[in-house]
Amino acid sequence: MRGLVLDFGGVLTDHGDAAGDEPPLVTAARQARRHGLRTAILSNADGLWAPPERWRDLFDAVVTSGEAGCAKPDRRIYLLVAERLGLDPGSCVFVDDLAVNVRGAAAVGMVGVHHRSVHATLEELEVLLEFPLRG
């Protein structure tokens, strides 16, 4: 895997049981970058949305449905985020809290992770990526 694509609402915003200021999947994105992965946010937000300023340098690409003109689970949006990362979809892991969106990513060749809890998602990503993500 060479890319990590994360949904914003419900994934990057999920603090789980963590008491820290930064949600655990944001920390995971930092760790992924340290290991050379390209990172992206893929959100069904409108075109005017942007990630928090403190996260701007953490993501190589931010794709929103409003800006792209299509929304998850439309295959075009997954292909667009892979293109913006400069990667083949098959080298990307996509994480979303909605199963329908995970299925959409898998349909274009991405490895899909259905986010149900922070703990389970981090465990699954650590197996797929083969390095620790928890700070």
Side-chain angles (χ1 to χ4, degrees):
M1 294 293 113
R2 296 180 47 222
L4 177 61
V5 181
L6 301 158
D7 175 47
F8 179 73
V11 175
L12 284 171
T13 58
D14 187 351
H15 281 268
D17 296 331
D21 292 334
E22 183 170 88
L25 273 296
V26 174
T27 302
R30 288 185 195 287
Q31 290 296 101
R33 285 180 64 85
R34 286 187 186 115
H35 282 85
L37 270 71
R38 301 198 36 89
T39 57
I41 294 174
L42 178 56
S43 174
N44 275 350
D46 68 36
L48 303 175
W49 182 86
E53 184 65 36
R54 65 188 180 277
W55 297 358
R56 291 267 169 95
D57 293 335
L58 181 56
F59 296 97
D60 299 295
V62 175
V63 176
T64 65
S65 59
E67 171 257 330
C70 55
K72 298 177 286 184
D74 187 312
R75 66 183 283 110
R76 294 174 295 169
I77 202 159
Y78 304 103
L79 296 172
L80 177 62
V81 75
E83 178 183 309
R84 294 225 179 130
L85 287 174
L87 299 172
D88 180 85
S91 65
C92 297
V93 177
F94 173 72
V95 181
D96 200 295
D97 58 321
L98 298 177
V100 65
N101 294 340
V102 174
R103 286 191 296 274
V108 300
M110 291 183 174
V111 174
V113 174
H114 184 193
H115 176 75
R116 293 181 189 107
S117 74
V118 168
H119 179 76
T121 297
L122 289 173
E123 279 192 343
E124 189 167 351
L125 287 173
E126 287 174 342
V127 168
L128 288 168
L129 300 176
E130 300 179 331
F131 55 81
L133 293 170
R134 304 170 212 223

